[in-house]
Amino acid sequence: MTFVDFIITYCPRLLSGTIVTVEQFALASALCIFLALLAGLMKLSPRASVRACATIYVEIFRGTSLLVQLYWIFFVLPLFGITLDKFTAGFVAVGLNVGAYGAELVRGGVLSVPAGQWEAAVSINMSPGKRMSRIILPQALVNMLPAWGNLLIELLKGTALVATIAVADLTFEARQINYATFMSAQSFGSALIIYYCLARFILTPFMRRLEKFMARQMGKA
C-alpha cells in the first residue's frame, strides 16, 4: 500500500483524531491561560500566604512529569472521590501543567512593564484593579506574546500524552492504525505531518498576527 493509498483509506480516522486533538488543545489552552494569569498575579501579591499558594502550584506542576500528573488525575483522584472522564482528565492535566510554566511568563511580563507606568497609574489615583487591567496587563501582554506562542506549541505537543489514557486523539488513532496494519512509518508519519501543520500553519501565524495587533493597539508597531 502506497502512502497515498494509506491516507485515502485511513483519512476519516486521522481526521477524527485531529478534531479531538484540537478540542483538547483549545480546552487545555483556556485552562492554562486562566491558571497562568491567576498564579502569575498571585506570585506578585504583597501577602505571603497568597504567594505561597501560587508557588506551591507552580513548583509541583513544573517539577514533576506531565505523564505522571495525567495518571494521578485519571487513576489516583478517584480513590479520593474525585472522578473525571478520560477526555476531561486529559485537558485538565495538560492545562494544569503548562499553566505552571505560563505563570512565570505572566509574572515576568508584569515585572517588565517600566516603573514609570506604575507610578503614573498611582499618581492619577487608579485603583489596583483598574491599574492592573488598563495599564499594566495590556503592556505586559505585548511583552509576553512571543513566549506564549512557544508555550502553546509545547501545549499542543503535550496533548499527545492523553492517548495513554485512551483519549481518541490523533496519536491514539495513529497508534491503533499501526497496531492493525504494522505500517509504522505511514501511521506515525501522518501524525507527525498533521501536528507540524497545526503548529506551523495555524497556531504560529495566529500568534504572530496577535502580536502585531497588540503592538498596534499599544502604539508599538
Side-chain angles (χ1 to χ4, degrees):
M1 181 184 292
T2 66
F3 185 71
V4 174
D5 293 334
F6 176 89
I7 292 297
I8 293 173
T9 302
Y10 293 103
C11 181
R13 292 186 62 178
L14 293 171
L15 179 59
S16 173
T18 301
I19 292 172
V20 174
T21 291
V22 171
E23 292 172 344
Q24 284 279 314
F25 170 76
L27 292 170
S29 295
L31 179 60
C32 164
I33 292 169
F34 171 76
L35 291 173
L37 183 61
L38 180 63
L41 295 179
M42 286 174 66
K43 292 198 74 173
L44 297 171
S45 172
R47 296 185 180 182
S49 59
V50 175
R51 293 198 306 272
C53 290
T55 299
I56 290 170
Y57 160 66
V58 170
E59 292 303 320
I60 288 176
F61 282 93
R62 285 203 313 170
T64 56
S65 165
L66 171 56
L67 183 59
V68 175
Q69 294 164 17
L70 180 61
Y71 285 165
W72 258 84
I73 289 172
F74 187 64
F75 294 112
V76 180
L77 285 186
L79 302 178
F80 300 94
I82 303 174
T83 302
L84 300 177
D85 63 87
K86 59 189 179 182
F87 184 90
T88 303
F91 77 78
V92 166
V94 177
L96 284 168
N97 179 270
V98 182
Y101 292 90
E104 290 300 314
L105 295 183
V106 171
R107 185 181 69 86
V110 170
L111 292 177
S112 71
V113 176
Q117 298 294 314
W118 295 79
E119 295 167 358
V122 171
S123 69
I124 59 175
N125 294 321
M126 294 188 75
S127 65
K130 287 185 177 180
R131 184 165 65 234
M132 184 60 68
S133 62
R134 295 186 180 182
I135 304 297
I136 307 304
L137 277 181
Q139 296 181 70
L141 181 59
V142 174
N143 298 334
M144 287 188 285
L145 278 177
W148 266 102
N150 293 330
L151 191 64
L152 290 179
I153 289 174
E154 291 300 317
L155 187 151
L156 173 63
K157 294 187 289 186
T159 60
L161 289 178
V162 304
T164 61
I165 58 171
V167 176
D169 73 328
L170 177 58
T171 300
F172 179 86
E173 293 293 350
R175 191 171 63 183
Q176 293 301 108
I177 294 170
N178 179 55
Y179 288 158
T181 63
F182 299 101
M183 302 177 71
S184 302
Q186 292 89 334
S187 301
F188 296 111
S190 300
L192 184 149
I193 292 170
I194 293 172
Y195 276 115
Y196 176 79
C197 289
L198 289 174
R200 177 64 182 84
F201 299 113
I202 297 178
L203 183 55
T204 299
F206 171 77
M207 292 303 296
R208 287 178 178 169
R209 289 191 180 96
L210 184 58
E211 288 175 33
K212 293 178 180 179
F213 172 78
M214 288 302 302
R216 288 196 299 270
Q217 293 296 106
M218 299 304 298
K220 294 184 178 182

